[in-house]
Amino acid sequence: MELYLYIALFAPLVSSMFSALFTNTPKKQFVGIVASLLIFTAFGSSTILLSHILGGGDIVHVEMMTWMATGNLYIPFGFVVDQVSVTMMMVVTLVSTIVHIYSIGYMDHDKGFNRFFAWLSAFVFSMMILVMSDNFAGLFIGWEGVGLCSWGLIGFWFHKEVATWAANEAFIMNRIADLAMLIGIFLVYWNTGSLQYDIAFPAMATLDPSTLTWMGIFLFIGAMGKSAQFPLHTWLADAMEGPTPVSALIHAATMVTAGVYLVIRSNELYDLIPNVGLFIASLGAFVALFAASMALVNRDMKRIIAYSTLSQLGYMFVAAGLGAYWVALFHLMAHAFFKALLFLGAGNVMHAMHDELDPFKMGGLYKKMKWTAIMMTIASIALAGIFPLAGFFSKDAILEAAFVEHHFIIYSVILFTAGLTAFYSFRLVAMIFHGEERYKLFGIDPHEAYKFMLVGMSPLLILAIIAGALKGTYFEMITGLLPNTEYHLHSELTYWIMTIGTQVFVALAIMYAYKKYAFSPVSVPDGTSKMENSFMYKLLLNQYYIPYAYEEYIVKPYNELSAALWKVDQNVVDASVDGIANIFYKTGENTRHMQSGNLSTMLKWMVAGTVALLSLAVVFGLAARYSGEIRTILSGLGV
């Protein structure tokens, strides 16, 4: 099995290096094909490893070589394939394969076609390092790698200032969180003597609770940045400036879930600090509602789906914070399928609408884009949690966990959020595919995507439908490593009341969205909203003015401070250094005539130098000879 581990890990690296060879050449179609085949090879190897784990095989653990060894510190290049990592490997490689195939069509006319695949495959390699490493140091290297690749992909169209700004925002905000994560990793090593999971986690059971609390807090702050949790959330919506396949891979299915993966991987730590876990769950519930509310009114198709991702990440943290780690991972997996499908469907719509993102300027596209409409509708049904699609099983398990653990406020918040999710999901579907054909007002002639792109999306469609049915098999596998806590209500009647009630609530939200946006006029001819003058609409549309607050009270003061310090640097530091340099320069200029080459002049300076040296020798000699008398005289003078 070690061979398959190496193939799964290094095939994306080979893909990236191969694509990089052609970055300075015109578009090569075969670059995308070869890159996709190599990522598919990684997926095939991951599937074989999954079959091995499902069949009851031993965990695959390899140490390639020593990485760091100094004093008591020993960190190998070690990788592990267990129940948790193989789940993430399957999600990453499957979605990556589909996104690579899709990108061949989506990026077909882009000048940076080859460069795009180099970045995309490098991201997959970094993500595989993150999830497969057997120690915190390796995880951190992969963590930083996906951050770098995310920066390159968000700002892929660097000629657009807004894309460059979004890439820098994502990179800088994540570095703030990563500093806290690095402190957490240092605390792990300082207190356990190791960064390897199989040594560090068992050693934590003997540590002081306050030490464990700080460990958990700092590690979670790192997770907050990567998974865009409040208050480090603003970068995720702005990251939609990157190509849509990037959004499907990075900002729906893989990188943004790395924070959830970190908490799940560190379950042995968080089990020891339940108060921190409750904070994680509470913050997750808040973020789920907070993000869903912003998606209600947004007029950017990709941003609506991004807010949805942010909201679903909140659900995952609710489950992980309550100790339902396997439920969090199950929702992570199910969500990756239908959310990536939504993003890719949005990419089809963008191409059809000449990169238009405002759903108020669309409508009636079902006639032109039947297959995309069907796929996005089914993905939205799964997202809303309607039985029997995948989202129902994973969301229902999170609701059960909150209810059984008697966290009724959290339960109420995420239940209400489920209704909002259904509303904004079908608000988007209704405005894009149904109702009046508003796109005609703007002279747009939409068309369906390439057939191979639709075929490439089909595995995500199938998994969005059937993944929930795999819950039992998945539970048996994953609880070989994670706590096997099952969440069942004591009364079967209570379960059915809750389940049916949730389904009815969600169905009513969907019907209201259709009534409001599919069967009623939703815009005036210029595509503007009728609601935009209300206070609540403006509040939600402006993201509660949090980006504005960051700009006014953090960014601008920081810029002003930087400008002031720059002046100090220029007028004091640089002036001092330049002044010293000028003194030596002028001294050299004034004395360089000494080196005239004239023998008579040179002899004069030699004599003068000799006299000066002899004079100094006499002075120092006399001072040494009469040092006692000199001290007596000076003491008498009171010196």
Side-chain angles (χ1 to χ4, degrees):
M1 289 293 125
E2 289 185 17
L3 175 62
Y4 296 111
L5 182 151
Y6 290 132
I7 293 173
L9 177 62
F10 289 111
L13 176 61
V14 176
S15 174
S16 177
M17 294 175 67
F18 175 81
S19 302
L21 293 174
F22 301 94
T23 51
N24 291 324
T25 63
K27 189 200 82 171
K28 305 285 186 181
Q29 198 76 27
F30 73 88
V31 170
I33 295 172
V34 173
S36 301
L37 287 173
L38 286 166
I39 300 299
F40 180 74
T41 302
F43 168 66
S45 296
S46 299
T47 304
I48 293 171
L49 290 166
L50 174 64
S51 300
H52 171 74
I53 297 295
L54 280 173
D58 294 333
I59 291 173
V60 183
H61 190 185
V62 300
E63 290 188 5
M64 292 177 58
M65 64 187 76
T66 299
W67 179 16
M68 299 182 192
T70 175
N72 294 326
L73 176 64
Y74 173 71
I75 304 175
F77 274 116
F79 300 95
V80 63
V81 177
D82 56 21
Q83 290 87 339
V84 172
S85 61
V86 79
T87 301
M88 293 296 295
M89 289 167 64
M90 287 296 296
V91 170
V92 171
T93 55
L94 173 61
V95 177
S96 298
T97 300
I98 293 168
V99 167
H100 273 71
I101 294 170
Y102 179 90
S103 298
I104 295 173
Y106 190 89
M107 303 297 290
D108 184 46
H109 302 295
D110 197 285
K111 293 181 180 179
F113 183 89
N114 304 336
R115 177 169 57 91
F116 179 81
F117 280 93
W119 274 114
L120 201 64
S121 297
F123 170 83
V124 179
F125 174 62
S126 298
M127 194 70 197
M128 294 297 277
I129 291 178
L130 190 158
V131 301
M132 294 175 68
S133 289
D134 70 348
N135 61 80
F136 280 103
L139 179 145
F140 189 73
I141 294 300
W143 193 276
E144 295 304 299
V146 296
L148 174 64
C149 294
S150 174
W151 171 81
L153 288 165
I154 295 170
F156 181 77
W157 290 315
F158 53 84
H159 55 277
K160 295 167 56 180
E161 184 178 351
V162 65
T164 303
W165 186 90
N168 290 338
E169 179 193 21
F171 190 81
I172 293 168
M173 193 165 285
N174 274 275
R175 298 295 74 73
I176 294 169
D178 291 354
L179 175 61
M181 180 183 173
L182 197 57
I183 294 171
I185 292 174
F186 284 148
L187 287 174
V188 170
Y189 174 72
W190 186 263
N191 290 280
T192 67
S194 178
L195 292 177
Q196 292 178 265
Y197 301 144
D198 55 358
I199 298 174
F201 289 134
M204 291 177 184
T206 61
L207 298 179
D208 181 76
S210 61
T211 301
L212 293 172
T213 297
W214 284 112
M215 251 186 234
I217 289 173
F218 280 115
L219 288 176
F220 178 63
I221 292 173
M224 287 170 62
K226 198 65 76 182
S227 294
Q229 296 295 284
F230 178 88
L232 303 174
H233 65 283
T234 55
W235 69 267
L236 182 58
D238 293 333
M240 296 303 104
E241 292 298 332
T244 302
V246 172
S247 303
L249 178 61
I250 295 180
H251 307 124
T254 54
M255 189 187 82
V256 292
T257 62
V260 181
Y261 169 79
L262 175 62
V263 175
I264 294 170
R265 176 57 78 182
S266 305
N267 67 90
E268 295 178 58
L269 166 62
Y270 287 102
D271 277 342
L272 298 171
I273 44 176
N275 289 337
V276 175
L278 181 59
F279 170 76
I280 292 172
S282 301
L283 180 63
F286 166 75
V287 170
L289 178 60
F290 173 72
S293 66
M294 292 187 288
L296 294 175
V297 301
N298 200 276
R299 292 183 47 174
D300 184 307
M301 176 173 55
K302 286 178 66 177
R303 283 177 177 261
I304 292 170
I305 304 174
Y307 287 131
S308 174
T309 299
L310 183 54
S311 181
Q312 297 307 304
L313 288 167
Y315 273 90
M316 297 173 206
F317 277 116
V318 167
L322 295 179
Y325 304 105
W326 73 268
V327 176
L329 193 57
F330 184 60
H331 189 53
L332 183 158
M333 178 178 64
H335 170 264
F337 302 142
F338 54 72
K339 188 54 63 66
L341 182 61
L342 271 175
F343 265 118
L344 296 182
N348 292 349
V349 174
M350 283 181 63
H351 264 202
M353 294 293 296
H354 304 167
D355 292 333
E356 178 58 61
L357 287 166
D358 189 350
F360 281 84
K361 298 180 181 180
M362 301 178 189
L365 286 177
Y366 181 84
K367 297 177 183 178
K368 300 284 187 176
M369 307 180 69
K370 181 179 179 180
W371 289 109
T372 297
I374 291 172
M375 288 184 175
M376 289 190 70
T377 301
I378 292 175
S380 297
I381 294 172
L383 173 60
I386 297 292
F387 180 84
L389 274 65
F392 165 79
F393 293 93
S394 57
K395 271 191 178 181
D396 191 59
I398 297 173
L399 287 165
E400 283 185 44
F403 193 89
V404 170
E405 293 292 333
H406 302 107
H407 295 293
F408 298 118
I409 295 177
I410 292 177
Y411 170 80
S412 300
V413 170
I414 60 177
L415 176 62
F416 180 64
T417 302
L420 297 184
T421 302
F423 176 80
Y424 69 66
S425 298
F426 282 89
R427 167 183 177 264
L428 185 63
V429 170
M431 284 196 293
I432 294 174
F433 297 110
H434 304 286
E436 53 191 334
E437 298 172 340
R438 297 178 297 279
Y439 64 85
K440 292 181 177 179
L441 299 173
F442 305 96
I444 298 174
D445 182 21
H447 57 84
E448 184 60 279
Y450 297 133
K451 289 184 179 180
F452 80 88
M453 294 170 68
L454 297 173
V455 172
M457 294 165 61
S458 59
L460 293 175
L461 175 67
I462 294 169
L463 287 167
I465 296 171
I466 69 167
L470 306 175
K471 181 179 176 182
T473 303
Y474 178 77
F475 175 79
E476 291 179 7
M477 181 196 78
I478 202 66
T479 50
L481 185 67
L482 297 178
N484 61 347
T485 309
E486 291 192 74
Y487 298 92
H488 295 303
L489 299 170
H490 296 296
S491 168
E492 187 173 344
L493 178 61
T494 304
Y495 169 78
W496 284 110
I497 291 174
M498 286 174 52
T499 302
I500 295 173
T502 302
Q503 293 290 289
V504 171
F505 178 47
V506 168
L508 289 174
I510 292 173
M511 287 189 288
Y512 179 65
Y514 263 94
K515 179 180 181 301
K516 186 172 180 61
Y517 294 103
F519 305 120
S520 302
V522 297
S523 68
V524 294
D526 65 351
T528 58
S529 168
K530 297 176 180 178
M531 298 172 54
E532 64 181 14
N533 292 323
S534 68
F535 169 76
M536 184 57 67
Y537 185 93
K538 290 180 179 179
L539 182 68
L540 297 178
L541 192 62
N542 288 284
Q543 305 174 58
Y544 294 94
Y545 294 98
I546 292 174
Y548 172 81
Y550 286 172
E551 180 70 23
E552 289 295 318
Y553 302 114
I554 296 178
V555 176
K556 284 186 177 179
Y558 179 81
N559 286 339
E560 291 173 1
L561 177 63
S562 298
L565 292 177
W566 176 73
K567 290 180 180 178
V568 172
D569 180 72
Q570 188 179 42
N571 298 325
V572 178
V573 179
D574 285 355
S576 300
V577 174
D578 292 343
I580 294 171
N582 286 332
I583 290 172
F584 282 102
Y585 178 79
K586 289 179 180 179
T587 301
E589 281 289 307
N590 293 330
T591 58
R592 67 191 180 93
H593 66 274
M594 294 168 59
Q595 300 291 333
S596 63
N598 184 287
L599 181 61
S600 177
T601 303
M602 299 288 282
L603 287 172
K604 289 177 182 178
W605 282 111
M606 287 174 63
V607 171
T610 302
V611 170
L613 289 173
L614 290 174
S615 299
L616 287 174
V618 170
V619 171
F620 284 118
L622 290 173
R625 174 67 180 79
Y626 298 104
S627 59
E629 290 83 350
I630 292 172
R631 281 196 295 270
T632 302
I633 294 171
L634 291 175
S635 62
L637 295 174
V639 179

